[in-house]
Amino acid sequence: MTMDADLTIKEVRIIELVDLNQQHEQRFVEIVSYGGLTGHAGPLDGHYQFSAVNSRLHVFNKHLAGRNLFDPAIEFSSLWDAVYPSNPLTAYEHGKDPLTGENLWRSHRTSRHTATGEIITAFSAVDIAIWDLRGKAERKPVSQLLGGKRAELEAYISCMGSKTPEEALEKARRWYDQGFKRHKCFLPHRPIDALGIKKNLSFLETLNKLLPGDSQVMYDLSRLSDQIDDISTRKSRLSWASKLVKEMVPFRPVWIEEPTAPDDIEGYETIKQANPSSVLAGGEHLYTRWSLKPFLDRGLLDYVQCDPEWCGGISESIAICKMIESSYPKVRIVPHGHMILAAPHIVAAQTMNLSPFVEYLYQVIPDRVRYFQRAVEPVNGTLEVPQEPGVGPILDNTKFKITRIYQDEESI
């Protein structure tokens, strides 16, 4: 049997990079073909993603080594099944954590991701690295492998950290003047503040009054809901969030994001039923299509924001797009993107109606792409879809040195 070396996976490993001053360390998943091509994804977030991949390199290599890159069975869910054959991801559809069996819909997260979610975010990097290698093997950008036709995407700017209406307005106007008509504002006043609703509405009133008429604003409530599942105050906090949403609706925001905790399906239902005309967004902190589906079945989300780096990689993101396109025609997809390389390819492969624009986190992304040959960033409100083979610009070895390679010790 002959083997096409460039199309055959040899190894999954992790490379550790540091800048030339040895001050900034990042780790990337690296998939190597027998022909010497490499696919990358990262940087991995913190020790939890690194550990989740590194401790399972033997399983990933056993599952992938020697297989053709374009084997359709190679995708995120098969990676999961290889590691956890007795813990199907379909448990999410019933509100259960697939590893612990715990009820998620009435639980309270103590961190941004659940423990199982942290593993899923790590496995997502392996999936994205496989797609990067596929693009390099075919000498095409991933968007073209996915059938994408769009070369340019409209972008919105995510503006974190405004504490006053004046600060929020300054950011919005600055970006508007640079060609960005859409931006996202984070409301700062939480349910513990008795005047929180009034103070938050002052943000909306200020921006609505002073921004140009064609500006469009999204509002993110995620930082207000971190204690919404405190049993002792849950009812009052949900009432607070529902009242805030009601007062926001007349301002016609593009969407109101995460008005309650990510897994709080009952809270979403309470808010949506009380405010049926509200446009709600969520999914950034949900994992896989099975976690998302119950929210869609109940009509609770108008915009889905599953992040390819967190929800299961490019494979799972495309599965989510197909599910929504076939079964939920009124729902739109705008992926959250704390990294700017995978998301544009996913959006470019969808219709404008299904996925109208892409997110850019200007305060986060520059640091995450510091080791690549160039930065992918929108200009005048438009993001050009990367046209390099794979997911985008390659790592630039003049900007770093490799300090360590983590490999499957059993295969060395």
Side-chain angles (χ1 to χ4, degrees):
M1 183 180 76
T2 60
M3 178 178 67
D4 190 322
D6 282 345
L7 299 181
T8 306
I9 298 172
K10 179 182 179 180
E11 183 184 9
V12 183
R13 60 192 187 186
I14 297 172
I15 57 173
E16 184 175 279
L17 314 180
V18 68
D19 63 26
L20 300 183
N21 294 321
Q22 299 190 11
Q23 294 179 344
H24 193 281
E25 181 183 271
Q26 291 183 346
R27 296 185 178 113
F28 291 79
V29 171
E30 184 174 72
I31 311 288
V32 185
S33 78
Y34 276 96
L37 292 177
T38 55
H40 296 100
L44 296 172
D45 281 334
H47 184 75
Y48 71 87
Q49 282 195 354
F50 162 72
S51 178
V53 176
N54 187 48
S55 63
R56 296 168 178 84
L57 284 175
H58 173 64
V59 182
F60 287 136
N61 280 289
K62 182 178 180 180
H63 179 64
L64 296 173
R67 295 178 67 175
N68 186 287
L69 267 175
F70 290 91
D71 182 342
I74 297 177
E75 43 88 37
F76 170 80
S77 62
S78 71
L79 297 176
W80 177 271
D81 291 342
V83 178
Y84 298 110
S86 301
N87 302 88
L89 290 164
T90 51
Y92 272 131
E93 192 171 354
H94 307 289
K96 303 292 183 181
D97 186 295
L99 292 185
T100 67
E102 294 177 354
N103 188 342
L104 294 169
W105 291 345
R106 294 290 294 176
S107 66
H108 173 51
R109 293 190 184 185
T110 57
S111 59
R112 183 166 201 174
H113 295 290
T114 65
T116 299
E118 290 175 349
I119 295 171
I120 290 174
T121 66
F123 288 16
S124 299
V126 179
D127 179 90
I128 292 170
I130 290 169
W131 277 99
D132 187 45
L133 185 55
R134 284 170 173 166
K136 290 172 179 173
E138 289 288 287
R139 298 178 174 84
K140 294 180 179 179
V142 167
S143 61
Q144 291 184 16
L145 297 185
L146 298 172
K149 306 294 185 183
R150 298 158 67 184
E152 294 183 342
L153 308 173
E154 293 185 45
Y156 81 86
I157 293 291
S158 182
C159 298
M160 299 185 292
S162 298
K163 296 181 179 180
T164 66
E166 292 75 21
E167 184 180 357
L169 178 63
E170 186 278 327
K171 289 182 181 180
R173 294 183 71 166
R174 171 159 47 90
W175 287 108
Y176 181 89
D177 290 343
Q178 294 182 40
F180 294 86
K181 295 183 179 180
R182 297 185 181 91
H183 88 282
K184 183 164 70 178
C185 179
F186 289 70
L187 297 182
H189 300 287
R190 301 165 61 192
I192 58 174
D193 186 339
L195 297 177
I197 291 178
K198 183 177 180 180
K199 291 180 179 180
N200 282 326
L201 289 176
S202 73
F203 266 72
L204 280 75
E205 291 167 351
T206 299
L207 280 110
N208 187 66
K209 180 179 179 180
L210 298 177
L211 283 178
D214 58 347
S215 296
Q216 298 183 39
V217 187
M218 304 85 160
Y219 290 97
D220 192 330
L221 276 58
S222 61
R223 299 186 179 189
L224 311 184
S225 61
D226 59 349
Q227 295 181 3
I228 206 81
D229 281 337
D230 182 337
I231 295 176
S232 65
T233 61
R234 175 179 171 77
K235 185 176 180 179
S236 62
R237 290 173 181 273
L238 272 178
S239 176
W240 185 95
S242 187
K243 289 177 182 178
L244 175 60
V245 169
K246 180 181 179 180
E247 296 295 334
M248 293 175 69
V249 168
F251 293 95
R252 302 182 66 184
V254 177
W255 68 58
I256 300 171
E257 182 173 334
E258 289 196 354
T260 183
D263 298 307
D264 187 11
I265 194 168
E266 295 167 354
Y268 268 95
E269 198 160 36
T270 296
I271 292 168
K272 190 67 169 178
Q273 287 179 352
N275 304 282
S277 62
S278 61
V279 179
L280 300 186
E284 171 186 339
H285 300 106
L286 297 178
Y287 315 104
T288 78
R289 76 200 85 162
W290 295 282
S291 183
L292 177 67
K293 189 175 183 298
F295 288 80
L296 297 176
D297 286 341
R298 300 189 190 192
L300 305 181
L301 294 177
D302 303 283
Y303 281 90
V304 165
Q305 301 170 298
C306 295
D307 188 320
E309 270 83 21
W310 293 345
C311 76
I314 292 174
S315 298
E316 192 60 26
S317 294
I318 293 300
I320 288 170
C321 290
K322 290 179 178 178
M323 178 180 73
I324 291 175
E325 185 175 37
S326 64
S327 301
Y328 310 96
K330 294 183 179 180
V331 176
R332 303 291 172 260
I333 303 165
V334 180
H336 175 263
H338 75 294
M339 182 65 171
I340 196 61
L341 296 184
H345 294 281
I346 295 161
V347 175
Q350 314 309 316
T351 65
M352 177 74 77
N353 182 59
L354 178 63
S355 192
F357 39 88
V358 68
E359 179 180 26
Y360 185 74
L361 282 77
Y362 77 95
Q363 292 145 301
V364 174
I365 289 175
D367 180 66
R368 297 183 64 81
V369 299
R370 63 186 295 153
Y371 289 142
F372 291 89
Q373 281 190 337
R374 68 178 181 89
V376 176
E377 54 189 359
V379 177
N380 294 325
T382 299
L383 180 77
E384 293 186 358
V385 180
Q387 293 302 302
E388 292 92 343
V391 299
I394 63 173
L395 291 168
D396 183 349
N397 60 16
T398 69
K399 297 179 178 179
F400 63 83
K401 59 181 179 180
I402 297 177
T403 56
R404 186 172 178 181
I405 297 176
Y406 297 85
Q407 295 176 276
D408 170 17
E409 295 180 357
E410 295 187 31
S411 66
I412 298 174

Coordinates of all heavy atoms in Angstrom, one line a residue, residues 166-221:
E166 N -19.9 58.1 29.2 CA -19.0 58.9 28.5 C -17.8 58.1 27.9 O -17.4 58.3 26.7 CB -18.4 60.1 29.4 CG -19.5 61.1 29.8 CD -20.4 60.6 30.9 OE1 -20.1 59.6 31.6 OE2 -21.5 61.2 31.0
E167 N -17.3 57.2 28.7 CA -16.2 56.3 28.2 C -16.7 55.4 27.1 O -16.1 55.2 26.1 CB -15.7 55.5 29.4 CG -14.5 54.7 29.0 CD -13.9 53.8 30.1 OE1 -14.5 54.0 31.3 OE2 -13.0 53.1 29.9
A168 N -17.9 54.8 27.3 CA -18.5 54.0 26.3 C -18.7 54.7 25.0 O -18.5 54.2 23.9 CB -19.8 53.4 26.8
L169 N -19.2 56.0 25.1 CA -19.5 56.8 23.9 C -18.2 57.1 23.2 O -18.1 57.1 22.0 CB -20.2 58.1 24.3 CG -20.5 59.1 23.2 CD1 -21.4 58.4 22.2 CD2 -21.1 60.4 23.8
E170 N -17.1 57.4 24.0 CA -15.9 57.8 23.3 C -15.3 56.6 22.5 O -14.9 56.8 21.4 CB -14.8 58.1 24.4 CG -13.5 58.6 23.9 CD -12.5 57.5 23.5 OE1 -12.6 56.5 24.2 OE2 -11.8 57.7 22.5
K171 N -15.4 55.4 23.1 CA -15.0 54.2 22.3 C -15.8 54.0 21.1 O -15.3 53.7 20.0 CB -15.1 53.0 23.2 CG -14.0 52.9 24.3 CD -14.1 51.6 25.1 CE -13.1 51.5 26.2 NZ -13.3 50.3 27.0
A172 N -17.1 54.1 21.2 CA -18.0 53.8 20.1 C -17.8 54.8 19.0 O -17.8 54.5 17.8 CB -19.5 53.9 20.6
R173 N -17.6 56.1 19.3 CA -17.4 57.1 18.3 C -16.1 57.0 17.6 O -15.9 57.2 16.4 CB -17.6 58.5 18.9 CG -19.0 58.8 19.4 CD -19.2 60.2 19.9 NE -19.1 61.2 18.9 CZ -19.5 62.4 19.0 NH1 -20.0 62.8 20.2 NH2 -19.5 63.3 18.0
R174 N -15.1 56.6 18.4 CA -13.7 56.4 17.8 C -13.8 55.3 16.8 O -13.2 55.4 15.7 CB -12.7 56.0 18.9 CG -11.4 55.6 18.4 CD -10.3 55.8 19.5 NE -10.7 55.3 20.8 CZ -10.5 54.0 21.2 NH1 -9.9 53.2 20.4 NH2 -10.9 53.6 22.4
W175 N -14.4 54.2 17.1 CA -14.5 53.1 16.1 C -15.4 53.4 15.0 O -15.2 53.0 13.8 CB -15.0 51.8 16.8 CG -13.9 51.2 17.7 CD1 -13.8 51.2 19.0 CD2 -12.7 50.6 17.2 NE1 -12.6 50.6 19.4 CE2 -11.9 50.2 18.3 CE3 -12.1 50.3 15.9 CZ2 -10.7 49.6 18.2 CZ3 -10.9 49.7 15.8 CH2 -10.2 49.3 16.9
Y176 N -16.5 54.2 15.3 CA -17.4 54.6 14.2 C -16.6 55.4 13.2 O -16.8 55.2 11.9 CB -18.6 55.4 14.7 CG -19.5 55.8 13.6 CD1 -20.6 55.0 13.3 CD2 -19.4 57.0 13.0 CE1 -21.5 55.4 12.3 CE2 -20.3 57.4 12.0 CZ -21.3 56.6 11.6 OH -22.2 56.9 10.6
D177 N -15.8 56.3 13.6 CA -15.0 57.2 12.8 C -14.0 56.3 11.9 O -13.5 56.8 10.9 CB -14.3 58.2 13.6 CG -15.2 59.3 14.2 OD1 -16.4 59.4 13.7 OD2 -14.8 60.0 15.1
Q178 N -13.7 55.1 12.4 CA -12.8 54.3 11.7 C -13.5 53.3 10.7 O -12.9 52.4 10.2 CB -11.9 53.5 12.6 CG -10.9 54.3 13.4 CD -10.1 53.5 14.4 OE1 -9.6 52.4 14.0 NE2 -9.8 54.0 15.6
G179 N -14.8 53.5 10.6 CA -15.6 52.7 9.6 C -16.4 51.6 10.2 O -17.0 50.8 9.5
F180 N -16.4 51.5 11.6 CA -17.2 50.4 12.2 C -18.5 50.9 12.7 O -18.6 51.6 13.7 CB -16.4 49.8 13.4 CG -15.1 49.1 12.9 CD1 -13.9 49.9 12.7 CD2 -15.1 47.8 12.7 CE1 -12.8 49.2 12.3 CE2 -13.9 47.1 12.3 CZ -12.7 47.9 12.1
K181 N -19.6 50.5 12.0 CA -20.9 51.0 12.4 C -21.5 50.1 13.5 O -22.5 50.5 14.2 CB -21.8 51.0 11.2 CG -21.4 52.0 10.1 CD -22.4 52.0 9.0 CE -22.0 53.0 7.9 NZ -23.0 53.0 6.8
R182 N -20.9 48.9 13.7 CA -21.4 48.1 14.8 C -20.4 47.9 15.9 O -19.2 47.8 15.6 CB -21.7 46.7 14.3 CG -22.8 46.6 13.2 CD -23.1 45.2 12.8 NE -24.1 45.0 11.8 CZ -23.9 45.0 10.5 NH1 -22.6 45.1 10.1 NH2 -24.9 44.9 9.7
H183 N -20.8 48.0 17.2 CA -19.9 47.7 18.2 C -20.7 47.1 19.4 O -21.9 47.3 19.5 CB -19.1 48.9 18.7 CG -19.8 49.8 19.7 ND1 -20.8 50.6 19.4 CD2 -19.6 49.9 21.1 CE1 -21.3 51.2 20.5 NE2 -20.5 50.8 21.5
K184 N -20.0 46.5 20.3 CA -20.6 45.8 21.5 C -20.1 46.5 22.7 O -18.9 46.7 22.9 CB -20.3 44.3 21.5 CG -21.0 43.6 22.7 CD -21.0 42.1 22.5 CE -19.7 41.5 22.6 NZ -19.7 40.0 22.5
C185 N -21.1 46.8 23.6 CA -20.8 47.5 24.9 C -21.2 46.6 26.0 O -22.2 45.9 26.0 CB -21.7 48.8 24.9 SG -21.5 49.7 26.5
F186 N -20.4 46.5 27.1 CA -20.6 45.7 28.2 C -21.2 46.6 29.3 O -20.6 47.6 29.7 CB -19.3 45.1 28.8 CG -18.8 44.0 27.9 CD1 -18.2 44.3 26.7 CD2 -18.8 42.7 28.3 CE1 -17.7 43.3 25.9 CE2 -18.3 41.7 27.5 CZ -17.7 42.0 26.3
L187 N -22.4 46.3 29.8 CA -23.0 47.1 30.8 C -22.4 46.8 32.2 O -22.2 45.6 32.5 CB -24.5 46.8 30.9 CG -25.3 47.2 29.6 CD1 -26.8 47.0 29.8 CD2 -25.0 48.7 29.3
P188 N -22.1 47.8 33.0 CA -21.3 47.5 34.2 C -22.0 47.4 35.5 O -21.4 46.8 36.5 CB -20.4 48.8 34.3 CG -21.3 49.9 33.8 CD -22.2 49.2 32.7
H189 N -23.3 47.8 35.6 CA -23.9 47.8 36.9 C -24.7 46.5 37.2 O -25.6 46.2 36.4 CB -24.8 49.0 37.0 CG -24.1 50.3 36.8 ND1 -23.2 50.8 37.8 CD2 -24.0 51.2 35.8 CE1 -22.7 51.9 37.4 NE2 -23.1 52.2 36.2
R190 N -24.4 45.9 38.3 CA -24.9 44.5 38.5 C -26.2 44.6 39.4 O -26.5 45.6 40.0 CB -23.8 43.7 39.2 CG -22.6 43.6 38.4 CD -21.4 43.1 39.2 NE -21.6 41.8 39.8 CZ -20.8 41.3 40.7 NH1 -19.8 41.9 41.2 NH2 -21.1 40.1 41.2
P191 N -26.8 43.4 39.6 CA -28.1 43.3 40.4 C -27.9 43.7 41.8 O -28.8 44.1 42.5 CB -28.5 41.9 40.3 CG -27.9 41.4 39.0 CD -26.6 42.1 38.9
I192 N -26.6 43.7 42.3 CA -26.4 44.1 43.7 C -26.5 45.6 43.9 O -26.7 46.1 45.0 CB -25.1 43.6 44.2 CG1 -23.9 44.2 43.4 CG2 -25.0 42.1 44.3 CD1 -22.5 43.8 43.9
D193 N -26.5 46.3 42.8 CA -26.7 47.8 42.9 C -28.1 48.1 42.7 O -28.8 47.8 41.7 CB -25.9 48.4 41.7 CG -25.8 49.9 41.8 OD1 -26.7 50.5 42.4 OD2 -24.9 50.5 41.2
A194 N -28.7 48.7 43.8 CA -30.2 49.0 43.8 C -30.6 49.9 42.6 O -31.7 49.8 42.1 CB -30.5 49.7 45.1
L195 N -29.6 50.8 42.1 CA -29.9 51.6 41.0 C -29.3 51.1 39.7 O -29.2 51.9 38.7 CB -29.4 53.0 41.3 CG -30.0 53.8 42.5 CD1 -29.3 55.1 42.7 CD2 -31.5 54.0 42.3
G196 N -29.0 49.8 39.7 CA -28.3 49.2 38.5 C -29.1 49.4 37.2 O -28.5 49.7 36.2
I197 N -30.4 49.1 37.2 CA -31.1 49.3 36.0 C -31.1 50.7 35.5 O -30.8 50.9 34.3 CB -32.6 48.8 36.2 CG1 -32.6 47.3 36.5 CG2 -33.5 49.2 35.0 CD1 -34.0 46.8 36.7
K198 N -31.3 51.7 36.4 CA -31.3 53.1 36.0 C -29.9 53.5 35.4 O -29.8 54.1 34.4 CB -31.7 53.9 37.2 CG -31.8 55.4 36.8 CD -32.2 56.2 38.0 CE -32.3 57.7 37.7 NZ -32.7 58.5 38.9
K199 N -28.9 53.0 36.1 CA -27.5 53.4 35.7 C -27.2 52.7 34.3 O -26.5 53.4 33.5 CB -26.5 53.0 36.7 CG -26.6 53.8 38.0 CD -25.6 53.3 39.0 CE -25.6 54.2 40.3 NZ -24.6 53.7 41.3
N200 N -27.6 51.5 34.2 CA -27.3 50.8 32.9 C -28.1 51.5 31.7 O -27.6 51.6 30.6 CB -27.7 49.3 33.0 CG -26.6 48.5 33.7 OD1 -25.4 48.8 33.6 ND2 -27.1 47.5 34.4
L201 N -29.3 51.9 32.0 CA -30.1 52.5 31.0 C -29.5 53.9 30.6 O -29.7 54.3 29.4 CB -31.5 52.7 31.4 CG -32.4 51.5 31.5 CD1 -33.7 51.8 32.1 CD2 -32.5 50.8 30.2
S202 N -28.7 54.5 31.5 CA -28.1 55.8 31.1 C -27.1 55.5 30.0 O -26.8 56.4 29.1 CB -27.4 56.4 32.3 OG -26.3 55.7 32.7
F203 N -26.4 54.3 30.0 CA -25.5 53.9 28.9 C -26.3 54.0 27.6 O -25.9 54.6 26.6 CB -25.0 52.5 29.1 CG -23.7 52.5 29.8 CD1 -23.6 52.8 31.2 CD2 -22.5 52.1 29.2 CE1 -22.3 52.7 31.8 CE2 -21.3 52.1 29.8 CZ -21.2 52.4 31.2
L204 N -27.4 53.2 27.6 CA -28.2 53.1 26.3 C -28.7 54.5 25.9 O -28.6 54.8 24.7 CB -29.4 52.2 26.5 CG -29.1 50.7 26.4 CD1 -28.4 50.2 27.7 CD2 -30.4 49.9 26.2
E205 N -29.2 55.3 26.8 CA -29.7 56.6 26.5 C -28.6 57.5 25.9 O -28.9 58.2 24.9 CB -30.3 57.3 27.7 CG -31.6 56.6 28.2 CD -32.0 57.0 29.6 OE1 -31.2 57.7 30.2 OE2 -33.1 56.6 30.0
T206 N -27.4 57.5 26.5 CA -26.3 58.3 26.0 C -25.9 57.9 24.6 O -25.8 58.7 23.7 CB -25.1 58.2 26.9 OG1 -25.5 58.7 28.2 CG2 -24.0 59.0 26.4
L207 N -25.7 56.6 24.4 CA -25.3 56.1 23.1 C -26.4 56.3 22.0 O -26.1 56.8 20.9 CB -24.9 54.7 23.1 CG -23.5 54.5 23.7 CD1 -23.5 53.8 25.1 CD2 -22.6 53.7 22.8
N208 N -27.6 56.1 22.4 CA -28.7 56.2 21.4 C -28.9 57.7 21.0 O -29.2 58.0 19.8 CB -30.0 55.7 22.1 CG -31.2 55.7 21.1 OD1 -31.2 54.9 20.1 ND2 -32.2 56.5 21.3
K209 N -28.6 58.6 21.9 CA -28.8 60.0 21.6 C -27.7 60.6 20.8 O -27.9 61.5 19.9 CB -29.0 60.8 22.9 CG -29.2 62.3 22.7 CD -29.4 63.0 24.1 CE -29.6 64.5 24.0 NZ -29.8 65.1 25.3
L210 N -26.5 60.2 21.1 CA -25.3 60.9 20.6 C -24.6 60.2 19.4 O -23.8 60.8 18.7 CB -24.3 61.2 21.7 CG -24.9 62.1 22.8 CD1 -23.9 62.3 23.9 CD2 -25.3 63.5 22.2
L211 N -24.8 58.9 19.2 CA -24.2 58.2 18.1 C -24.9 58.5 16.8 O -26.1 58.8 16.8 CB -24.2 56.7 18.4 CG -23.1 56.1 19.3 CD1 -23.3 54.6 19.5 CD2 -21.7 56.4 18.9
P212 N -24.2 58.4 15.7 CA -24.9 58.6 14.4 C -26.0 57.6 14.2 O -26.0 56.5 14.8 CB -23.8 58.4 13.4 CG -22.5 58.7 14.1 CD -22.8 58.3 15.5
G213 N -27.0 58.0 13.4 CA -28.3 57.2 13.3 C -28.1 55.9 12.7 O -28.9 55.0 13.0
D214 N -27.0 55.6 12.0 CA -26.8 54.3 11.4 C -25.9 53.4 12.2 O -25.5 52.3 11.8 CB -26.2 54.4 10.0 CG -24.9 55.2 9.9 OD1 -24.5 55.8 10.9 OD2 -24.2 55.1 8.9
S215 N -25.6 53.9 13.4 CA -24.8 53.0 14.4 C -25.7 51.9 14.9 O -26.9 52.0 15.0 CB -24.3 53.8 15.6 OG -23.4 54.8 15.2
Q216 N -25.1 50.7 15.1 CA -25.8 49.6 15.7 C -25.0 49.1 16.9 O -23.8 48.9 16.8 CB -25.9 48.5 14.6 CG -26.8 48.9 13.4 CD -27.0 47.7 12.4 OE1 -27.2 46.6 12.8 NE2 -26.9 48.0 11.2
V217 N -25.7 48.9 18.0 CA -25.0 48.5 19.2 C -25.6 47.2 19.8 O -26.8 47.0 19.8 CB -25.2 49.6 20.3 CG1 -24.3 49.3 21.5 CG2 -24.8 51.0 19.7
M218 N -24.7 46.3 20.2 CA -25.0 45.1 20.9 C -24.7 45.4 22.4 O -23.7 46.1 22.7 CB -24.2 43.9 20.5 CG -24.3 43.6 19.0 SD -23.2 44.5 18.0 CE -23.1 43.4 16.5
Y219 N -25.4 44.8 23.3 CA -25.1 44.9 24.7 C -24.9 43.6 25.4 O -25.7 42.7 25.2 CB -26.3 45.7 25.4 CG -26.3 47.1 25.0 CD1 -27.2 47.5 24.0 CD2 -25.5 48.1 25.6 CE1 -27.3 48.8 23.6 CE2 -25.6 49.4 25.2 CZ -26.5 49.8 24.2 OH -26.5 51.1 23.8
D220 N -23.8 43.5 26.1 CA -23.4 42.2 26.7 C -23.7 42.3 28.2 O -23.1 43.2 28.9 CB -21.9 42.0 26.4 CG -21.5 40.6 26.8 OD1 -22.1 40.0 27.8 OD2 -20.5 40.1 26.2
L221 N -24.5 41.4 28.7 CA -24.9 41.4 30.1 C -24.1 40.3 30.9 O -24.4 40.1 32.1 CB -26.4 41.3 30.3 CG -27.3 42.5 30.2 CD1 -27.1 43.2 28.9 CD2 -28.7 42.1 30.5

